[in-house]
Amino acid sequence: MLVIGAGATGVQLASIFNAFGSEVTLFEAAPQILMSEDPDVAAVVSAALSASGIHVLTDAGSIERFEPCPTGVRLIYTDHDGPDQIDATLAVVAVGWVANTADLNLAAAGVRTDARGYLQVDGDLRTTAGHIFAAGDVTGRVMVVHEALREGYVAATNAVLGRTIALPAEVSPIGSFTDPEYASVGLTEATARKTRSVIVATERFETLPRPIIDGRTTGFCKLIVDQQLHTVLGCHIVGERAVELAQVAAVAMAAGITVEQLALTPFSFPTYANALGRAAVAAAGQLNPPTTPGPRSDVTVTRYVP
Ligand SMILES: Cc1cc2nc3c(=O)[nH]c(=O)nc-3n(C[C@H](O)[C@H](O)[C@H](O)COP(=O)(O)OP(=O)(O)OC[C@H]3O[C@@H](n4cnc5c(N)ncnc54)[C@H](O)[C@@H]3O)c2cc1C
């Protein structure tokens, strides 16, 4: 199987079909897989995919054409070394979605779409026709089930009751069920650093009891914290239960709690969520360095001001 495009969809396809026993080549034009994710996360996922037998090609060049071949389909492409080809039984192109709106004649109703067919909406999810609202994938925003549900509630409420609620600012966690899982919520470290002063704390799974017990030690939890406000700006996880960890971080972000409050929240033991708790402790420690180190100078929980 040849998978073109190593975004969330392509990487999940590759991971799942590899687990089913297919020989998979993942073809990505960009210099890394999962371009929208934290580079540290992408690097761990890429290494794990390669270790599991997937041929991961990044910076792979540009596609010239597909043509039939004895195995099924041949990809002809050009990379730094010139023309090349890959033969496969099946090719799956996963380079982004378009909205299936072309046949709806939305212009007749005054509903504008963008170049990919997505409906343009405002913060109330009202389209350019005042009495028509849109929610879910067709808006082209965050294309996941939990976001579609939230948008459906906002759009339906505003449509029935008039302008009542705006789309909440809280960020959605996103993640993929690859092996290993990865997930994120909020800003990446690079994006956060463009506008904020941040501190970063990373807790590696290989140091934590539950991943060690389960033999699932690949991964880490990385927390990005606003140095001034002490709030969590982003959380990036790769490893077992990554999507669940991002959910816990999303709740902390939605509540606007400080990283000190997160550090003081008891995390059940032994769990994967411990990674988030320990990253919070490490981040809070950076924000509140102990003046007189005690016997446990690495852990300064008692010094936090909630
Ligand atoms: C392979 C795959 C895996 C995914 N995995 C995840 C995941 O693990 N987690 C996650 O959160 N999201 C996942 N998603 C994304 C998720 O499925 C979508 O974000 C979500 O379904 C969006 O909901 P929606 O109601 O906007 O659209 P849809 O679920 O697509 O529902 C739209 C409905 O409208 C119908 N329809 C279309 N045109 C018309 C018309 N003209 N008239 C009447 N009805 C029409 C369609 O038949 C469909 O039933 C995945 C998507 C894919 C493709």
Side-chain angles (χ1 to χ4, degrees), residues 230-232 251-259 261-262 265:
H230 293 203
T231 49
V232 177
V251 172
M253 291 172 71
I257 63 174
T258 63
V259 75
Q261 289 172 305
L262 185 59
T265 304

Side-chain angles (χ1 to χ4, degrees), residues 9 12-13 16 97 100-101 103-104 135-139 142-149 151 173-177 243:
T9 302
Q12 285 183 97
L13 276 168
I16 290 164
W97 302 96
N100 185 14
T101 54
D103 297 335
L104 294 179
D137 281 8
V138 82
T139 66
V142 186
M143 293 165 67
V144 286
V145 168
H146 42 293
E147 196 62 29
L149 285 169
E151 289 182 9
I174 49 171
S176 282
F177 302 99
V243 177

Side-chain angles (χ1 to χ4, degrees), residues 61-299:
S62 54
I63 295 172
E64 302 297 335
R65 62 186 183 281
F66 293 97
E67 58 185 43
C69 72
T71 58
V73 60
R74 173 170 297 155
L75 165 69
I76 315 281
Y77 66 103
T78 305
D79 63 14
H80 303 300
D81 302 324
D84 210 338
Q85 64 184 52
I86 300 170
D87 288 0
T89 310
L90 176 75
V92 179
V93 179
V95 295
W97 302 96
V98 292
N100 185 14
T101 54
D103 297 335
L104 294 179
N105 195 14
L106 291 169
V111 175
R112 268 204 297 278
T113 57
D114 66 15
R116 305 186 92 184
Y118 292 113
L119 272 63
Q120 293 177 19
V121 289
D122 64 14
D124 302 334
L125 295 177
R126 192 186 297 267
T127 69
T128 47
H131 62 299
I132 299 177
F133 292 75
D137 281 8
V138 82
T139 66
R141 297 180 67 260
V142 186
M143 293 165 67
V144 286
V145 168
H146 42 293
E147 196 62 29
L149 285 169
R150 179 162 77 162
E151 289 182 9
Y153 176 76
V154 170
T157 303
N158 289 336
V160 173
L161 298 180
R163 190 175 186 174
T164 308
I165 42 174
L167 203 57
E170 280 79 31
V171 281
S172 271
I174 49 171
S176 282
F177 302 99
T178 41
D179 185 12
E181 271 184 30
Y182 69 89
S184 64
V185 58
L187 304 177
T188 61
E189 180 181 350
T191 308
R193 284 193 189 284
K194 285 180 190 160
T195 54
R196 311 273 230 299
S197 194
V198 302
I199 59 126
V200 176
T202 301
E203 193 67 31
R204 307 203 71 82
F205 276 24
E206 70 216 16
T207 68
L208 292 169
R210 181 59 183 270
I212 292 170
I213 292 165
D214 289 352
R216 304 285 288 174
T217 51
T218 298
F220 63 81
C221 173
K222 176 175 176 178
L223 211 51
I224 321 293
V225 177
D226 189 308
Q227 197 160 22
Q228 197 183 1
L229 301 174
H230 293 203
T231 49
V232 177
L233 297 172
C235 185
H236 305 269
I237 309 110
V238 59
E240 192 79 355
R241 313 283 168 90
V243 177
E244 314 269 350
L245 262 82
Q247 188 63 60
V248 179
V251 172
M253 291 172 71
I257 63 174
T258 63
V259 75
E260 288 88 344
Q261 289 172 305
L262 185 59
L264 283 170
T265 304
F267 281 78
S268 298
F269 176 93
T271 60
Y272 290 92
N274 270 163
L276 177 60
R278 298 228 329 215
V281 168
Q286 288 185 55
L287 289 165
N288 306 279
T291 46
T292 47
R296 295 290 310 278
S297 60
D298 58 322
V299 180

